[in-house]
Amino acid sequence: LPDELDAEVDRILQDGNFTCNFELYQLRSRDLHTLNPTSWLNDSVIDAYLSLISSTTPPDITIVHTFVYAAIWSARSSGRRMRENDYPNLMKSRLILMPINIGNTHWIAGAINLTTATLTLYDS
């Protein structure tokens, strides 16, 4: 950005009342501050970004949001099997991409290939 626009962005972000509405998501100043290199990235920013990229994703690829992995894991941990009507689009997909939070301290990406029945984890 040109210097004057960069300064304007900095000024807006310093204002604690900044809000950005993006599709179904609302990002506040505190959410955007999690993009700083020394901050913990939060699920609001991840979900907004996933919503952005899912608009260009082929129909046989499903991108799920941050809460889905936790819901699947919770159901499995309690002995309940996931039913197809819990997440109907998942079983129609060739590939499912999902963010996974490890111990509330680290995000990784998971890719479930339903054609080959494989799970690949991507970790920085």
Side-chain angles (χ1 to χ4, degrees):
L1 290 175
D3 288 343
E4 64 273 1
L5 288 178
D6 195 39
E8 180 68 11
V9 168
D10 286 342
R11 186 191 64 72
I12 290 170
L13 289 177
Q14 294 304 320
D15 175 12
N17 297 320
F18 172 77
T19 301
C20 171
N21 293 312
F22 177 76
E23 295 193 10
L24 299 176
Y25 298 94
Q26 184 177 68
L27 297 175
R28 295 184 169 90
S29 293
R30 68 177 178 263
D31 298 318
L32 296 178
H33 284 291
T34 69
L35 293 169
N36 291 329
T38 58
S39 297
W40 295 99
L41 186 60
N42 75 11
D43 55 344
S44 296
V45 172
I46 293 171
D47 283 336
Y49 182 72
L50 292 176
S51 182
L52 175 68
I53 63 173
S54 66
S55 65
T56 61
T57 304
D60 63 339
I61 297 175
T62 299
I63 299 174
V64 297
H65 294 277
T66 55
F67 65 88
V68 174
Y69 175 78
I72 292 169
W73 187 257
S74 174
R76 183 180 170 114
S77 297
S78 66
R80 186 177 78 81
R81 291 187 57 107
M82 190 177 89
R83 298 179 312 248
E84 187 171 337
N85 61 349
D86 287 343
Y87 301 100
N89 291 337
L90 291 184
M91 297 306 137
K92 297 175 185 169
S93 300
R94 173 182 58 82
L95 184 65
I96 301 167
L97 304 174
M98 69 174 60
I100 301 169
N101 189 298
I102 306 297
N104 272 342
T105 61
H106 185 64
W107 287 100
I108 63 173
I112 302 169
N113 186 322
L114 294 176
T115 306
T116 61
T118 58
L119 168 65
T120 305
L121 299 175
Y122 299 92
D123 189 349
S124 60

